[in-house]
Amino acid sequence: MPRSAWLYPVLAVLLFAAVSATGYSFAPSAAGWVFAAVLLVILFGTVFAAVHHAEMIAERIGEPFGTLLLTLAVTIIEVALISTIMLGDTPAPTLARDTVFAVVMIVCNGLVGLCIFIGGIRYREQDFQITGANLYLSVLFVLATITLDMPNFTLTAPGPIYSTAQLAVISVVTLLLYAVFLYTQTIRHRDYFVSGANEAAAHGEVMSDRETAISVVLLLVSLLAVVLLAKKFSLVVDVVTVKIGAPPAFAGLVVAALILLPESVAAVAAARKNDLQKSINLALGSSIATIGLTVPAVAL
């Protein structure tokens, strides 16, 4: 286990304890910007640590459950960041929409193509399950349409937004669609999401029970640390957005970049190891989870 995998979660908890004990509140001063830099480094490190431990556990439990665990871990971080910033000192009611839109754009227009390009340059040809990719895209199209496009055509509430009742119905629909997709991915058509590279990796060296238990504990600590530091991070994002004169959607892009960075690194690394199927699972799975889980959670 690399030292950073346990060091950053511990530093994050200590930073939160120190800030809480002293009652420190971020302000745009010299000391404040130093704090912001330290916070950003520790937050990024903790997110990477969470993804690392999720990957370690994923290798133990195998595909597609491993990728699903990794996606859920990142979704928890995403919900914590979005909810905290939305309910912060500067309300940002459109942050969830902006973040979802940014995630879909980054994944579909950038990450998937980057993985295919890097894998193709290195191996010329790579295998993946086209049926599984089609299922990902089919569900993603529907989820993106009902959450990002349909509000432009509803008339109950003024502006391109859902009313409370409509939002409740859409939240239930997205959850049901995601649940059906999970059933398809993990039970009904599991073979659509597992390639030969996945099966070969499953017969490699397996972590011991002790190592798995340590990774589970550190994963929980990492997720808790990110949730605890989300409030301080939201204050920094608010100030930076105002300072540079960025539009409100900038906060959504920042959150999307933060939560996608470690998953993107994992997807690219999988492509470099000739496991394009895992790259597809990570990239498209993160988009579906972002809508299927984040939208209902934030709406609630």
Side-chain angles (χ1 to χ4, degrees):
M1 180 185 301
R3 182 180 301 176
S4 59
W6 62 264
L7 181 60
Y8 279 109
V10 172
L11 288 176
V13 173
L14 292 177
L15 178 63
F16 174 78
V19 170
S20 300
T22 59
Y24 177 78
S25 181
F26 172 74
S29 61
W33 292 121
V34 171
F35 168 78
V38 172
L39 173 64
L40 193 60
V41 170
I42 292 179
L43 193 59
F44 264 105
T46 306
V47 171
F48 270 98
V51 172
H52 169 78
H53 293 299
E55 281 189 306
M56 293 299 98
I57 301 170
E59 291 182 4
R60 176 65 183 269
I61 63 180
E63 291 290 336
F65 301 101
T67 300
L68 177 60
L69 173 65
L70 182 57
T71 300
L72 291 176
V74 173
T75 302
I76 291 173
I77 295 174
E78 181 179 13
V79 171
L81 293 174
I82 292 176
S83 301
T84 303
I85 296 177
M86 284 182 66
L87 303 175
D89 298 333
T90 304
T94 62
L95 179 66
R97 179 201 65 195
D98 296 335
T99 302
V100 168
F101 188 82
V103 167
V104 174
M105 288 283 288
I106 292 172
V107 168
C108 293
N109 296 337
L111 181 56
V112 172
L114 180 63
C115 291
I116 294 174
F117 176 76
I118 291 177
I121 289 293
R122 188 162 188 173
Y123 297 101
R124 296 296 184 259
E125 290 185 3
Q126 289 184 295
D127 294 329
F128 70 96
Q129 294 281 12
I130 296 179
T131 307
N134 286 339
L135 280 173
Y136 272 122
L137 293 174
S138 298
V139 177
L140 180 59
F141 289 163
V142 175
L143 289 175
T145 299
I146 64 177
T147 56
L148 298 176
D149 193 35
M150 279 182 57
N152 293 315
F153 302 98
T154 57
L155 303 176
T156 303
I161 61 174
Y162 281 130
S163 66
T164 302
Q166 290 171 336
L167 186 58
V169 172
I170 292 300
S171 298
V172 172
V173 171
T174 56
L175 276 176
L176 290 176
L177 277 173
Y178 188 67
V180 171
F181 175 78
L182 286 186
Y183 170 76
T184 303
Q185 183 185 26
T186 59
I187 299 175
R188 187 68 178 87
H189 294 293
R190 180 177 178 272
D191 55 310
Y192 289 175
F193 304 91
V194 180
S195 68
N198 292 143
E199 297 294 348
H203 294 87
E205 184 179 352
V206 179
M207 286 198 309
S208 65
D209 292 338
R210 177 177 176 274
E211 292 173 328
T212 303
I214 293 175
S215 287
V216 169
V217 172
L218 288 176
L219 172 61
L220 295 176
V221 172
S222 300
L223 295 177
L224 176 63
V226 172
V227 172
L228 293 176
L229 291 178
K231 176 65 175 177
K232 302 302 178 183
F233 177 71
S234 69
L235 298 176
V236 176
V237 172
D238 290 341
V239 172
V240 171
T241 301
V242 173
K243 285 288 185 181
I244 66 176
F250 174 75
L253 180 61
V254 170
V255 173
L258 177 63
I259 61 176
L260 279 179
L261 181 59
E263 209 165 24
S264 299
V265 171
V268 171
R272 287 176 55 85
K273 295 177 182 177
N274 200 23
D275 193 356
L276 185 59
Q277 182 63 51
K278 184 176 181 179
S279 298
I280 298 296
N281 289 350
L282 285 170
L284 296 181
S286 64
S287 294
I288 292 178
T290 293
I291 302 177
L293 297 178
T294 302
V295 169
V298 172
L300 181 61

